[in-house]
Amino acid sequence: MKELKGLRIKFVVSNMAMVSLVIGLAFLLVGGLMKFKVEQNQQRLLGEAASMENFREVLWQDQRTRMPFFILVTDGEDNVIQVEGQYGGLGPDEKLMQDLAARSLSGSQDRGELEFYQLSYLRQPFENGYRIAYVDTSMGNAFTSDMWRTLGIIGGAVWLALLAVSFFLSKWAVDPVEHSVRREKQFVADASHELKTPLTVIMANAQLLEEENHSKTGDEGRWLDNILQEAEGMKRLVEEMLTLARNEAAGFGREKKVFSLSDVVIESVLSFEAVFYQEDKELESDVEEEICIRGDSGQFGQVMGILLDNAKKYSPAGGRTKVRLERLGNKKARLMVENAGEEIPQDKLEVIFDRFYRSDVSRGDQKGYGLGLAIAKSIVEGSGGRIYAHSQEGKNQFFVEIRTVPDQERRERMAKE
């Protein structure tokens, strides 16, 4: 059922939103802390390198350094005059050293990053020039990049695992509700069916009494009229409830066949023309030919009857009702029933399809039980379509959108006819 499916989706979405938030915060916290520790260690190393003395005794010696750093000393003309320390395979390349010094001296801050070389630097005044300490950040950058990648993979795997668990838990959580709803719908269907018989008996007996007492006047005749009137209304309500319960029951539904929706719409309009004429109301139609869908033609005839009856009830004398059926691209069709009348409030455009809904503004002065549009919705959605309403500029519009059958199936149907 659509409502329970929506409930499961809401359960999964809310659960995964909370899980995503927790996982995201946890991984950001861990990743941020590790990145901070790496950067802190690099800055500590840079400070230790800059504070070391006895640089002049270490000038590109072959011995390996224990710390990944080196230091450049410049004169007052910003020329490199001394290289102290050793790092990896770095040699006394005068052009490279001069480029590093120029980049470091051009910055506005004494500390900075040379991203192209993956180096951090700290410059300090020294004699007439500067002493610039460099620390390699490639290992730290590689560690940070691998860390984020690993955290992303782990986070994605955990998220997918929890998504699967959430789907399982959603079914487990919704199962009792689904069973309850199914029992309720079955009860409504059974009760409606059982009520039809006594109502039929009551109406038959009341009609017999009315025929026998036809010559009598006074309270007895009025009472019999009241009994018949209320019994007929109750029977109509029971039949509508039974129709709705059957449409929504699991596994219910007539065999879906390919039929011409265009023919159904035209037949419904023709059958209502006299009714509209008697009430001094106009009914016009614009129906595109050979629009075929898969479903039950009788049920869609009922949808048309509900929409046209609704338009007749709520349009004023002399009002015009328009019916239009047209294709939407190659795969869909749209049916519109538009009538003049008092506008439906915007906040009521969805709830008017609820069972037993009656609005004081749009529906309160007419007879009915608020089940017609609910029945139409159950039929349309049961066939894979959707029904909705618009209201503006003194016009109320009801739309039905549904998928059409491929041209090949349509041609096969026409050939059979």
Side-chain angles (χ1 to χ4, degrees):
M1 285 173 279
K2 186 176 181 180
E3 295 84 356
L4 296 177
K5 183 179 179 181
L7 183 61
R8 287 189 63 186
I9 292 175
K10 288 181 180 179
F11 178 89
V12 173
V13 169
S14 60
N15 191 36
M16 293 311 300
M18 181 177 62
V19 167
S20 300
L21 180 62
V22 173
I23 292 178
L25 290 176
F27 278 60
L28 285 175
L29 181 62
V30 172
L33 181 61
M34 294 298 294
K35 183 178 180 182
F36 172 76
K37 294 293 290 183
V38 169
E39 292 177 351
Q40 187 182 46
N41 186 59
Q42 290 175 349
Q43 294 301 318
R44 179 186 59 79
L45 186 60
L46 188 61
E48 291 179 0
S51 63
M52 290 181 64
E53 299 179 358
N54 196 26
F55 294 120
R56 300 177 186 278
E57 297 178 2
V58 185
L59 180 58
W60 294 108
Q61 300 175 5
D62 292 334
Q63 64 187 37
R64 299 183 61 185
T65 179
R66 295 181 59 190
M67 298 175 63
F69 75 93
F70 63 95
I71 296 174
L72 302 181
V73 179
T74 65
D75 58 13
E77 301 296 329
D78 295 339
N79 296 315
V80 177
I81 60 174
Q82 192 170 347
V83 181
E84 301 170 341
Q86 183 175 357
Y87 174 56
L90 189 63
D93 187 335
E94 182 178 351
K95 184 178 180 181
L96 174 62
M97 297 298 104
Q98 191 62 47
D99 183 53
L100 290 175
R103 290 173 181 264
S104 304
L105 294 171
S106 64
S108 59
Q109 302 293 328
D110 290 334
R111 289 179 180 268
E113 299 283 338
L114 300 180
E115 295 182 0
F116 180 79
Y117 294 104
Q118 297 193 76
L119 295 171
S120 290
Y121 68 86
L122 172 62
R123 70 185 183 209
Q124 297 173 329
F126 182 75
E127 296 180 353
N128 295 327
Y130 287 94
R131 182 179 59 198
I132 310 172
Y134 296 87
V135 170
D136 177 42
T137 60
S138 60
M139 293 182 62
N141 292 340
F143 172 79
T144 302
S145 178
D146 290 342
M147 176 195 65
W148 285 119
R149 187 181 300 110
T150 303
L151 288 176
I153 294 173
I154 295 174
V158 172
W159 192 89
L160 290 175
L162 291 175
L163 178 62
V165 173
S166 294
F167 269 108
F168 173 78
L169 291 178
S170 69
K171 187 178 185 307
W172 173 77
V174 171
D175 270 347
V177 180
E178 183 177 2
H179 293 155
S180 176
V181 171
R182 290 188 186 278
R183 286 195 298 267
E184 177 188 350
K185 292 184 182 297
Q186 189 61 46
F187 169 77
V188 172
D190 295 342
S192 301
H193 180 74
E194 294 299 326
L195 283 171
K196 288 182 66 177
T197 301
L199 282 171
T200 303
V201 173
I202 291 172
M203 291 180 64
N205 285 296
Q207 288 171 352
L208 288 173
L209 285 173
E210 187 178 37
E211 291 175 0
E212 292 180 1
N213 298 295
H214 185 69
S215 59
K216 293 184 179 181
T217 59
D219 293 340
E220 292 182 4
R222 188 173 71 253
W223 294 338
L224 285 173
D225 289 340
N226 290 339
I227 291 173
L228 280 171
Q229 182 178 354
E230 293 301 322
E232 288 174 357
M234 184 63 70
K235 183 180 179 182
R236 186 167 62 252
L237 171 62
V238 168
E239 289 174 347
E240 290 182 355
M241 290 176 61
L242 182 59
T243 300
L244 187 60
R246 283 176 173 174
N247 288 349
E248 294 181 347
F252 175 82
R254 301 175 187 176
E255 183 182 357
K256 292 182 172 59
K257 298 180 179 179
V258 177
F259 70 94
S260 173
L261 181 60
S262 301
D263 293 346
V264 171
V265 173
I266 292 173
E267 291 172 4
S268 299
V269 170
L270 291 175
S271 66
F272 269 84
E273 278 184 344
V275 179
F276 274 78
Y277 178 77
Q278 289 176 353
E279 298 192 9
D280 191 26
K281 299 176 182 179
E282 297 182 26
L283 176 61
E284 60 181 47
S285 61
D286 179 13
V287 179
E288 192 170 338
E289 296 181 354
E290 290 304 328
I291 294 180
C292 296
I293 65 173
R294 185 179 297 279
D296 184 89
S297 59
Q299 288 184 337
F300 273 87
Q302 187 177 5
V303 171
M304 279 300 303
I306 291 169
L307 295 179
L308 288 173
D309 184 64
N310 189 73
K312 175 182 67 69
K313 284 181 180 179
Y314 304 116
S315 61
R320 177 180 298 178
T321 296
K322 297 181 181 179
V323 177
R324 180 183 295 120
L325 177 64
E326 58 186 350
R327 285 184 173 85
L328 290 180
N330 297 324
K331 297 183 178 180
K332 279 189 177 183
R334 181 172 64 187
L335 168 68
M336 182 199 73
V337 178
E338 175 189 277
N339 67 278
E342 191 167 0
E343 294 182 16
I344 303 172
Q346 294 297 315
D347 60 337
K348 305 297 184 183
L349 290 176
E350 292 187 8
V351 297
I352 58 175
F353 295 98
D354 293 346
R355 287 174 287 182
F356 299 106
Y357 171 78
R358 291 177 60 84
S359 170
D360 294 337
V361 175
S362 63
R363 305 173 75 167
D365 297 333
Q366 299 289 344
K367 294 181 179 179
Y369 299 97
L371 286 175
L373 291 177
I375 293 173
K377 180 180 179 181
S378 68
I379 293 173
V380 172
E381 291 185 347
S383 300
R386 74 183 187 108
I387 184 170
Y388 57 96
H390 285 168
S391 184
Q392 58 183 355
E393 298 179 356
K395 295 179 181 178
N396 297 320
Q397 299 173 323
F398 288 86
F399 295 93
V400 174
E401 292 184 4
I402 193 164
R403 184 180 295 274
T404 57
V405 298
D407 291 340
Q408 182 179 356
E409 291 190 47
R410 181 175 61 82
R411 287 192 291 267
E412 290 176 358
R413 174 189 173 276
M414 293 176 64
K416 290 180 181 179
E417 294 180 349

